[in-house]
Amino acid sequence: MSKVIMLIPVTPRVGITTVSLGLATALEQRSIATAFFKPITEGGVNADRATGIASDSGFTTVPPLDRSAVEHWIGSDAYDELLEAVISNLTAHAGAARVVVLEGLTAGAELPYANRLNIDIGSALGADIVFVGTPGASGAEAFVDVVDVGSHYYRDNKGTNIAGCVVNRLRRAKTETAGARFLAEDSLTLDVAELHAAFEGAETPLLGVIPLYEELEAARVMDLARHLGATVDNEEAAQRRRIRAIKFCSSSLGSTTFEAGDVIIVPGDRED
């Protein structure tokens, strides 16, 4: 069976799908055939969103098990059957992939059994476990404590290997320099150095740090055009330009100032 790398979110809103697909892309760029697997749908409108994005990106994907079927197995105390279904599903659809990037479930009120499922699925597949998180206001040392506590549950289960932790969405300090949005890269290096210091002596090694690029989280002009069903004159520019602000204008411009990235909404009867 393919080697499985399982990414486990340890903090909320960490961008686990972004990191999972980023890892899959990095492996593919090194000519390592890779498949993507989200083992269970998480419900809601975007129940299968992660698998859909992976498929649209050209990856081999393993279809997730339906959440209602999983909850039926759990409610019937048929946990072994559930794990067998996960393994069979992966084996049947992974194809010739040498590595399977498995996106772990996010624990919360809607998935109270997520932690147990992550542990048992990881153990059943003999996965290498990579924790993914974002340090909060409590600081780097508190974040390391969260990671180490979470890792204990996996260390107690045979079959899994704790590979380490990836920090995602590390916020960089804003700059007051006009025209620049962020400080130079050395300010990011200081943050990374602080994280490295906090991880020294920790049970779980730090594998990497991914900074937060706020502009990449902004919608593109093309996204807005598709939502509105608008006609685009310059599709190439619309694909890369991102919306930073929305400004509403009256019938007179007056002293209104505009910046690159502004979406300007004006009345349809303007003379200019």
Side-chain angles (χ1 to χ4, degrees), residues 164-244:
C165 175
V166 171
V167 172
N168 189 35
R169 296 168 58 86
L170 183 67
R171 187 175 295 279
R172 298 183 289 180
K174 292 287 183 68
T175 179
E176 295 181 1
T177 304
R181 290 186 173 265
F182 298 107
L183 290 172
E185 287 299 316
D186 58 354
S187 67
L188 176 61
T189 303
L190 293 175
D191 292 333
V192 173
E194 182 181 355
L195 281 170
H196 275 292
F199 271 93
E200 285 184 6
E203 294 184 85
T204 307
L206 178 63
L207 299 178
V209 177
I210 305 170
L212 171 63
Y213 291 96
E214 293 181 345
E215 289 200 0
L216 294 182
E217 297 196 339
R220 301 171 304 164
V221 173
M222 181 59 75
D223 298 325
L224 177 61
R226 287 173 178 167
H227 178 73
L228 297 175
T231 300
V232 178
D233 291 331
N234 189 339
E235 185 170 337
E236 181 182 354
Q239 291 282 6
R240 55 184 170 80
R241 289 179 179 169
R242 295 187 178 271
I243 299 171
R244 301 179 184 178

Side-chain angles (χ1 to χ4, degrees), residues 22-125:
L23 174 59
T25 300
L27 291 168
E28 286 279 358
Q29 288 175 343
R30 287 159 177 77
S31 300
I32 300 174
T34 305
F36 177 86
F37 185 23
K38 178 84 172 183
I40 297 164
T41 59
E42 295 195 18
V45 177
N46 294 319
D48 199 14
R49 179 172 175 269
T51 304
I53 294 174
S55 179
D56 291 343
S57 300
F59 291 109
T60 298
T61 55
V62 180
L65 298 176
D66 184 71
R67 177 177 169 179
S68 59
V70 170
E71 292 178 345
H72 175 74
W73 273 313
I74 294 174
S76 303
D77 199 24
Y79 223 77
D80 288 343
E81 293 181 26
L82 167 57
L83 294 178
E84 287 177 7
V86 170
I87 295 172
S88 298
N89 197 25
L90 176 59
T91 303
H93 295 94
R98 290 172 53 194
V99 177
V100 174
V101 174
L102 194 157
E103 180 183 320
L105 304 173
T106 301
E110 292 196 4
L111 288 176
Y113 46 81
N115 285 330
R116 180 185 174 186
L117 271 181
N118 283 337
I119 294 168
D120 290 343
I121 289 173
S123 179
L125 296 175

Side-chain angles (χ1 to χ4, degrees), residues 115-116 118-120 122-124 127 129 131 147-162 203-204:
N115 285 330
R116 180 185 174 186
N118 283 337
I119 294 168
D120 290 343
S123 179
I129 304 298
F131 298 108
V147 174
D148 278 346
V149 169
S151 71
H152 288 165
Y153 298 104
Y154 292 86
R155 296 181 197 281
D156 293 339
N157 278 265
K158 296 181 179 180
T160 56
N161 170 54
I162 307 297
E203 294 184 85
T204 307

